């Protein structure tokens, strides 16, 4: 059996689950903030094995879901201008204020191309020199370095018909916004493996230091997840909260220094809007002045986002803050389904509502 398979080994998982059950002294509520963890916990069947006292909530870990309705309105407006909009496929079905999606606009003739990386979008610009190609930059610290590297390459190559609508977001400031809200009761955080591979361990240390909350960077296999939760519960019981990196086969404590340097070269922190949470200071990235010629917000006059109301009836905001479970939303499964999603948490395959729909019924 190869080493990776050991992280799926049922016998080892059972052993850690037993240790976890023995360690639980009462209800323990933990939050994961990564769409891949959300899906992994359901898909592996772990959720059905968790003891009753272990309460799992999903936080703002799906980049599509946290994209604010005003940001969605902005990219839908942009798609209707004289541009080719290049985007990752998971944004195609996110509904805007009038329920229209990029997919609808594409059917009506808007030039929208699905790409698999920002470099593909740059290639599209190079192959179509008379067109303005805009890449939709949405995602956390995992995606932002590649977008930064693409902009750096565009600058080096003197490309003039390529830009990025930068709506990237940063995870640690969102965690701080959540924990500083006293109404949210979270006793431990399962920290995102992918984001942490870029930013490392340091940015999470405030959780233990300032709020007394244990947190563990965990991988995505069942054993990774169980070990991370066990460590959280143990730290809480011993009243010795810390931030621990338990995914060392992928995450270095110092993060990926090259990726961080590239991000810092191209982007600077700014306030950003999060669906259901509102504006969080320093939780977004904007393109630095040195790269202003690639900033779609400047080029297409969208520095101010359109003012639009939230989607009527959709409780995505409360789902993303862990206040309600998806099945507590009155629209869940009745009018909101993966085939006909009302909000982004049902659109994205990594959204909590979609995961609940698919795996918990
Ligand atoms: Fe929004 Fe649908 Fe989830 Fe309700 S079930 S919170 S309407 S995405």
């Amino acid at each position: 059996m190869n080493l990776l398979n050991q992280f799926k080994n049922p016998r080892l998982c059972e052993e850690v689950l037993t240790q976890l059950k023995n360690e639980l002294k009462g209800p323990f509520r933990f939050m994961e903030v990564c769409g891949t963890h959300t899906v992994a916990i359901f898909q592996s069947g772990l959720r059905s094995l968790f003891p009753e006292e272990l309460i799992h909530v999903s936080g703002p870990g799906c980049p599509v879901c946290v994209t604010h309705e005003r940001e969605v309105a902005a990219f839908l407006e942009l798609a209707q201008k004289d541009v080719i909009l290049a985007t990752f496929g998971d944004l195609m079905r996110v509904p805007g204020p009038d329920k229209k999606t990029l997919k609808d606009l594409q059917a009506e003739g808007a030039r929208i191309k699905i790409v698999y990386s920002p470099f593909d979008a740059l290639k599209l610009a190079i192959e179509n020199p008379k067109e303005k190609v805009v890449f939709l930059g949405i995602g956390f610290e995992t995606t932002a370095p590649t977008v930064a590297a693409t902009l750096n390459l565009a600058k080096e190559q003197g490309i003039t018909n390529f830009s990025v609508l930068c709506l990237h977001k940063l995870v640690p400031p969102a965690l701080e916004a959540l924990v500083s809200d006293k109404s949210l009761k979270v006793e431990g955080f399962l920290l995102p493996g992918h984001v942490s591979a870029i930013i490392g361990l340091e940015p999470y240390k405030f959780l233990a230091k300032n709020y007394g909350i244990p947190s563990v960077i965990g991988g995505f296999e069942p054993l990774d997840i169980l070990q991370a939760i066990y460590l959280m519960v143990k730290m809480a019981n011993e009243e010795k909260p810390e931030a621990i990196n338990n995914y060392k086969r992928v995450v270095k404590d110092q993060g990926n220094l090259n990726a961080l340097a590239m991000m810092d070269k191209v982007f600077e922190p700014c306030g950003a809007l999060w669906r259901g949470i509102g504006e969080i200071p320093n939780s977004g990235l904007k393109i630095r002045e040195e790269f202003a010629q690639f900033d779609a917000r400047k080029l297409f006059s969208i520095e101010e986002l359109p003012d639009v109301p939230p989607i009527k009836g959709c409780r995505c905001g409360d789902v993303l803050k862990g206040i309600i479970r998806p099945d507590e939303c009155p629209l869940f499964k009745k009018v909101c389904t993966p085939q006909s999603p009302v909000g982004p948490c049902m659109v994205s395959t990594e959204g909590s509502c979609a995961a609940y729909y698919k795996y918990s019924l």
Side-chain angles (χ1 to χ4, degrees):
M1 194 181 280
N2 72 32
L3 185 60
L4 204 55
N5 278 341
Q6 292 293 344
F7 289 89
K8 297 184 174 92
N9 183 317
R11 191 183 48 79
L12 293 176
C13 288
E14 210 176 321
E15 273 175 29
V16 180
L17 186 62
T18 306
Q19 286 175 346
L20 170 59
K21 284 178 180 166
N22 291 339
E23 196 65 41
L24 276 168
K25 307 288 180 232
F28 186 91
R29 193 173 151 91
F30 82 95
M31 177 181 269
E32 39 78 9
V33 279
C34 171
T36 313
H37 273 142
T38 310
V39 173
I41 287 171
F42 279 103
Q43 208 170 38
S44 60
L46 278 182
R47 205 167 193 281
S48 57
L49 297 174
F50 287 162
E52 215 172 285
E53 302 88 358
L54 187 66
I55 303 152
H56 158 223
V57 285
S58 296
C62 152
V64 174
C65 308
V66 298
T67 301
H68 196 271
E69 45 270 19
R70 292 179 63 190
E71 296 175 325
V72 175
F75 71 65
L76 289 166
E77 265 183 43
L78 179 61
Q80 295 171 78
K81 296 191 177 177
D82 183 21
V83 299
I84 299 176
L85 188 76
T87 176
F88 294 138
D90 52 0
L91 290 160
M92 290 297 283
R93 294 175 67 230
V94 178
D98 57 1
K99 298 197 178 142
K100 275 212 171 150
T101 63
L102 286 176
K103 202 162 183 261
D104 296 326
L105 295 177
Q106 189 184 44
E108 289 170 12
R111 294 178 303 160
I112 300 161
K113 299 267 184 215
I114 294 177
V115 290
Y116 295 99
S117 90
F119 292 109
D120 290 345
L122 179 60
K123 194 163 164 256
L124 194 64
I126 294 167
E127 288 166 356
N128 296 276
K130 293 198 177 126
E131 304 289 352
K132 294 174 204 140
V133 175
V134 187
F135 176 71
L136 201 41
I138 287 180
F140 298 128
E141 291 92 331
T142 334
T143 324
T146 332
V147 177
T150 308
L151 286 176
N152 193 47
L153 185 64
K155 191 174 184 189
E156 280 172 8
Q157 297 196 353
I159 308 294
T160 56
N161 65 328
F162 178 70
S163 61
V164 169
L165 179 61
C166 183
L167 300 170
H168 288 294
K169 292 185 172 51
L170 304 172
V171 169
L175 297 185
E176 178 127 42
L178 282 180
V179 293
S180 58
D181 177 351
K182 298 277 181 289
S183 64
L184 178 79
K185 198 171 165 333
V186 170
E187 283 140 319
F189 278 100
L190 172 57
L191 299 171
H194 300 140
V195 165
S196 306
I198 304 297
I199 66 174
L201 187 62
E202 187 64 35
Y204 303 114
K205 290 191 174 169
F206 74 92
L207 288 167
K209 199 166 161 234
N210 302 346
Y211 299 94
I213 301 176
S215 61
V216 183
I217 299 172
F220 300 98
E221 302 297 345
L223 193 60
D224 287 315
I225 295 168
L226 287 169
Q227 279 178 334
I229 302 169
Y230 167 74
L231 287 170
M232 266 180 245
V233 177
K234 191 164 185 288
M235 283 190 275
N237 284 349
E238 290 170 356
E239 296 183 9
K240 286 183 184 158
E242 266 186 73
I244 292 179
N245 176 8
N246 199 50
Y247 193 29
K248 293 214 179 214
R249 65 185 190 276
V250 171
V251 177
K252 291 188 182 137
D253 285 359
Q254 72 273 27
N256 181 330
L257 298 181
N258 289 334
L260 289 170
M262 183 55 76
M263 271 168 75
D264 188 50
K265 181 176 179 185
V266 176
F267 300 128
E268 58 184 315
C270 64
L273 287 170
W274 293 63
R275 191 180 289 262
I277 301 174
E279 172 133 9
I280 304 177
N282 293 319
S283 69
L285 291 174
K286 67 176 182 180
I287 295 172
R288 285 190 186 277
E289 205 47 45
E290 295 88 320
F291 289 82
Q293 69 268 39
F294 302 107
D295 189 345
R297 288 184 86 149
K298 291 199 167 102
L299 296 177
F300 299 96
S301 309
I302 35 180
E303 271 152 325
E304 278 299 312
L305 296 168
D307 206 0
V308 296
I311 302 171
K312 208 169 160 215
C314 174
R315 302 276 308 270
C316 271
D318 290 338
V319 169
L320 291 166
K321 286 189 283 188
I323 293 172
I324 62 163
R325 287 190 321 265
D327 58 348
E328 291 174 293
C329 167
L331 305 189
F332 181 78
K333 211 188 162 196
K334 297 187 182 85
V335 283
C336 184
T337 65
Q339 292 71 37
S340 177
V342 175
C345 300
M346 189 61 93
V347 173
S348 171
T349 48
E350 295 201 334
S352 309
C353 298
Y356 251 79
Y357 187 94
K358 189 166 179 192
Y359 298 109
S360 74
L361 299 174

